[in-house]
């Protein structure tokens, strides 16, 4: 896959030179989820601090793909503030565009299992961002005590089991504002 454009459908993972990934859903409701630092940056970005932007790790309505082609900088029109107000967002050079599988439906039973697994491994809470493909889960990493990479890896394995080994994304955040929390479902 070399390019995404507005006439397409489906969900895609777009990786950029800065190490930022975008989950882009072109089916209704069209949206993106920006995940800075999710993959290894290119050598020319190794010493560059990737900026954290408003509504990172949240589903943001996608109004238009202006350009999104491998080998070029991406340019998107988003509705970040709501009401159809256009916010232009560009990316570093796109290095890969991969199609993703269909959306995974998370049953109440699976959600409860994932929430219980997170708490049993010491995480204060885990949240799910609805209407994302693949599913995005965010751990609350604001607790005073430090949790291990091992507990994170164990949770990944338990989520994979609960979802039948479907693709998903697990991230952690130390701060949530009310707007972010209102768009997430606590498991």
């Amino acid at each position: 896959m070399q390019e995404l454009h507005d006439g397409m459908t489906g969900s895609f993972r777009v990786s950029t030179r800065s190490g930022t990934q975008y989950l882009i859903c072109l089916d209704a409701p069209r949206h993106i989820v920006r995940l800075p630092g999710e993959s290894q940056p290119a050598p020319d970005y190794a010493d560059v601090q990737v900026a954290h932007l408003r509504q990172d790790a949240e589903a943001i309505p996608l109004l238009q793909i202006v350009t999104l082609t491998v080998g070029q900088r991406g340019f998107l029109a988003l509705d970040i503030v709501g009401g159809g107000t256009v916010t232009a967002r560009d990316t570093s050079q796109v290095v890969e565009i991969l199609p993703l599988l269909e959306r995974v439906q998370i049953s109440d039973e699976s959600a409860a299992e994932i929430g219980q697994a997170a708490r049993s491994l010491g995480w204060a809470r885990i949240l799910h961002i609805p209407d994302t493909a693949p599913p995005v889960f965010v751990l609350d990493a604001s607790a005073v005590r430090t949790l291990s990479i091992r507990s994170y890896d164990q949770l990944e394995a338990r989520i994979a089991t609960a979802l039948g080994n479907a693709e998903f994304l697990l991230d952690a955040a130390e701060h949530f504002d009310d707007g972010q929390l209102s768009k997430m479902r606590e498991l």
Side-chain angles (χ1 to χ4, degrees):
M1 174 81 37
Q2 295 292 314
E3 175 182 22
L4 291 184
H5 54 82
D6 278 333
M8 298 176 73
T9 60
S11 295
F12 303 85
R13 181 188 307 266
V14 176
S15 300
T16 66
R17 289 186 67 79
S18 70
T20 298
Q21 289 189 10
Y22 295 85
L23 302 178
I24 299 178
C25 179
L26 298 177
D27 299 320
R30 290 168 34 114
H31 64 273
I32 72 160
V33 177
R34 180 180 185 265
L35 303 162
E38 191 62 31
S39 58
Q40 186 69 30
D44 55 329
Y45 278 87
D47 296 326
V48 176
Q49 178 72 27
V50 176
H52 289 276
L53 303 176
R54 216 173 1 168
Q55 296 186 1
D56 278 349
E58 291 183 46
I60 301 170
L62 173 64
L63 300 174
Q64 180 184 5
I65 296 175
V66 177
T67 182
L68 204 52
T69 304
V70 171
Q72 298 178 11
R73 292 179 68 92
F75 193 73
L76 307 163
L78 307 176
D79 184 7
I80 292 176
V81 297
T85 302
V86 177
T87 299
R89 184 160 292 169
D90 67 334
T91 74
S92 58
Q93 186 181 43
V94 175
V95 294
E96 184 176 53
I97 300 173
L98 294 174
L100 298 172
L101 301 175
E102 296 299 315
R103 284 192 189 163
V104 174
Q105 295 298 322
I106 300 172
S107 68
D108 289 341
E109 181 179 286
S110 293
E113 187 177 329
I114 292 166
Q116 181 181 10
R119 288 183 294 282
S120 72
L121 291 167
W123 297 96
R125 63 183 172 166
I126 185 169
L127 303 135
H128 171 243
I129 303 173
D131 297 319
T132 57
V136 177
F137 300 96
V138 182
L139 288 167
D140 183 347
S142 63
V144 177
R145 66 183 193 160
T146 303
L147 296 168
S148 70
I149 294 297
R150 183 172 181 218
S151 73
Y152 185 91
D153 292 343
Q154 288 174 337
L155 181 58
E156 276 189 319
R158 293 186 55 192
I159 293 172
T161 300
L163 297 181
N165 290 315
E167 184 175 359
F168 66 92
L169 186 72
L170 179 61
D171 201 1
E174 294 180 8
H175 171 75
F176 298 94
D177 63 36
D178 291 338
Q180 291 171 314
L181 288 174
S182 70
K183 296 177 183 175
M184 297 181 186
R185 172 185 174 203
E186 187 169 348
L187 306 180

